[in-house]
Amino acid sequence: MIDEILELIKPARKILILTHNNPDPDTIASAYGLKFIFHSIYKKRCTIAYEGLIGRAENRELVKECKIEMHLSKKLNFSRYEILVLVDSQPTAGNVYIPKGFFPQIVIDHHNFRKATTKAKIYDVKQEAGSTSTIITQYMRQLGLEPDRYVATALYYGIKTDTIGSARSNSKTDLEMMSFLLPKISLKKLSKIESPELPKYYFKNLKKAIEQSEIIDDLIFCNLEEVRNADLIAETSDFLLRMRDIKWSFVIGRIDNICYFSLRCKSSKRKVGSIALQIVRNLGTGGGHIKSAGGQIPLNDRDYSQVIGILRKRLLKKLAIKIDKVDIKSI
């Protein structure tokens, strides 16, 4: 697949590589790794762009330590680029900013395949891969490229966070790519990325999450209300799932006029991405992996509390939790 991609980008002067909104380590590393490939083979000028915020402290440290240059999508003129590449997401996923009149020629992802992706000239969607960084690392190995310590560290962290780092599913290929990268990474940089200093609002958010969480059978349901960035919602969901006797965590919050939610499960037997997609139907967009998922809902004329009520009812139904047969408790 990488040979086809290289053939397509060969005549292009400028290439725009898009991550999904509020980028996580996998999408950041994927874009960075792809930029490295294009520059190594053809000396191409590539711009990495995102929308939203790089909110999580670890993600900001990743960008800093690996010297990854990223630009806000809405500040760029898309017409200046001959090739548009989308990594770790797909068209119509609802979590990427693409202006009207534009469509990615190349899509590289590992999430559930979307029909709209077939409109791209080239698409490589490997659902068996635990991360998009795994796919990009495979490209490098196929081409015989040796990533420098910045790229190797970013890709290693990208794979780790999307697989073993979050107790999500991983494949033999994911582990093989991590083994390929390990001798090339900077352990010092990796340590700084994984253990950054945390801002005060992070701890204030945890306090609020504990105070406002409800335990409903084996589910923790938490409404964070207004939050500073969407990453806090996912972080809180991961944190709450660690509680003993809990199998599910659902955390929801809002930023301006958009409602974000994060759904987590300890079991790999339930397709969490599919559940997220179903509970958000006709409201917004959602999706994810086997054990983790999320979504976003534009509020527009909808009332935030009303949206929470709808999602809560749908989620309890999908999890077969009957509200009249369980006690609702605070933490």
Side-chain angles (χ1 to χ4, degrees), residues 187-204:
L187 291 174
K188 183 178 180 181
K189 290 183 178 297
L190 182 64
S191 178
K192 286 185 177 181
I193 292 167
E194 292 184 324
S195 304
E197 290 188 334
L198 298 168
K200 289 181 181 178
Y201 70 76
Y202 173 84
F203 299 96
K204 289 180 179 179

Side-chain angles (χ1 to χ4, degrees), residues 121-137:
K121 290 184 178 180
I122 297 176
Y123 54 89
D124 191 7
V125 180
K126 290 187 172 74
Q127 296 178 51
E128 68 275 12
S131 72
T132 305
S133 294
T134 297
I135 301 170
I136 301 301
T137 305

Side-chain angles (χ1 to χ4, degrees), residues 216-218 316 320-329:
I216 311 170
D217 198 25
D218 56 5
L316 292 176
I321 297 175
K322 294 184 178 180
I323 202 76
D324 58 335
K325 293 188 177 182
V326 297
D327 293 327
I328 300 177
K329 306 173 184 176

Side-chain angles (χ1 to χ4, degrees), residues 131-198:
S131 72
T132 305
S133 294
T134 297
I135 301 170
I136 301 301
T137 305
Q138 284 181 298
Y139 291 166
M140 287 187 185
R141 198 161 76 162
Q142 182 181 333
L143 293 167
L145 291 177
E146 286 287 321
D148 60 34
R149 71 177 194 259
Y150 300 107
V151 174
T153 302
L155 286 169
Y156 183 89
Y157 186 63
I159 298 173
K160 182 180 179 181
T161 55
D162 248 32
T163 55
I164 59 176
S166 298
R168 299 174 188 169
S169 59
N170 60 81
S171 67
K172 181 182 177 182
T173 304
D174 297 316
L175 299 178
E176 285 178 352
M177 293 306 103
M178 290 182 75
S179 297
F180 167 74
L181 293 166
L182 185 57
K184 305 169 179 58
I185 72 172
S186 167
L187 291 174
K188 183 178 180 181
K189 290 183 178 297
L190 182 64
S191 178
K192 286 185 177 181
I193 292 167
E194 292 184 324
S195 304
E197 290 188 334
L198 298 168

Side-chain angles (χ1 to χ4, degrees), residues 1-228:
M1 187 62 71
I2 185 57
D3 292 330
E4 295 177 39
I5 292 172
L6 290 174
E7 188 64 28
L8 180 62
I9 66 125
K10 190 174 182 178
R13 291 180 304 137
K14 292 184 178 181
I15 299 168
L16 182 60
I17 304 174
L18 280 180
T19 72
H20 58 65
N21 298 344
N22 307 308
D24 63 12
D26 187 28
T27 193
I28 293 171
S30 300
Y32 191 40
L34 200 60
K35 179 179 179 178
F36 175 82
I37 291 174
F38 292 168
H39 184 266
S40 298
I41 301 296
Y42 290 135
K43 304 297 180 185
K44 293 296 180 184
R45 296 173 60 186
C46 300
T47 300
I48 299 175
Y50 71 99
E51 185 52 35
L53 293 170
I54 302 176
R56 196 165 183 156
E58 290 88 343
N59 300 351
R60 294 197 300 271
E61 199 69 20
L62 167 65
V63 171
K64 175 186 173 183
E65 285 296 322
C66 293
K67 301 184 184 299
I68 305 173
E69 186 178 349
M70 301 180 70
H71 302 266
L72 288 169
S73 302
K74 290 185 178 179
K75 291 187 176 182
L76 298 177
N77 182 352
F78 276 56
S79 62
R80 295 181 61 191
Y81 301 90
E82 292 98 329
I83 295 290
L84 176 60
V85 186
L86 178 57
V87 294
D88 202 37
S89 185
Q90 295 174 59
T92 72
N95 66 341
V96 61
Y97 169 74
I98 302 176
K100 288 184 179 180
F102 294 89
F103 197 88
Q105 290 95 330
I106 301 169
V107 176
I108 305 169
D109 190 26
H110 73 114
H111 295 94
N112 292 336
F113 187 79
R114 292 177 177 268
K115 187 176 180 180
T117 301
T118 59
K119 296 179 182 178
K121 290 184 178 180
I122 297 176
Y123 54 89
D124 191 7
V125 180
K126 290 187 172 74
Q127 296 178 51
E128 68 275 12
S131 72
T132 305
S133 294
T134 297
I135 301 170
I136 301 301
T137 305
Q138 284 181 298
Y139 291 166
M140 287 187 185
R141 198 161 76 162
Q142 182 181 333
L143 293 167
L145 291 177
E146 286 287 321
D148 60 34
R149 71 177 194 259
Y150 300 107
V151 174
T153 302
L155 286 169
Y156 183 89
Y157 186 63
I159 298 173
K160 182 180 179 181
T161 55
D162 248 32
T163 55
I164 59 176
S166 298
R168 299 174 188 169
S169 59
N170 60 81
S171 67
K172 181 182 177 182
T173 304
D174 297 316
L175 299 178
E176 285 178 352
M177 293 306 103
M178 290 182 75
S179 297
F180 167 74
L181 293 166
L182 185 57
K184 305 169 179 58
I185 72 172
S186 167
L187 291 174
K188 183 178 180 181
K189 290 183 178 297
L190 182 64
S191 178
K192 286 185 177 181
I193 292 167
E194 292 184 324
S195 304
E197 290 188 334
L198 298 168
K200 289 181 181 178
Y201 70 76
Y202 173 84
F203 299 96
K204 289 180 179 179
N205 177 76
L206 286 183
K207 179 177 181 289
K208 185 178 181 180
I210 291 171
E211 290 174 345
Q212 300 192 182
S213 291
E214 297 176 304
I215 297 177
I216 311 170
D217 198 25
D218 56 5
L219 162 73
I220 284 188
F221 190 99
C222 177
N223 173 20
L224 289 176
E225 300 170 341
E226 287 282 347
V227 294
R228 293 182 61 147

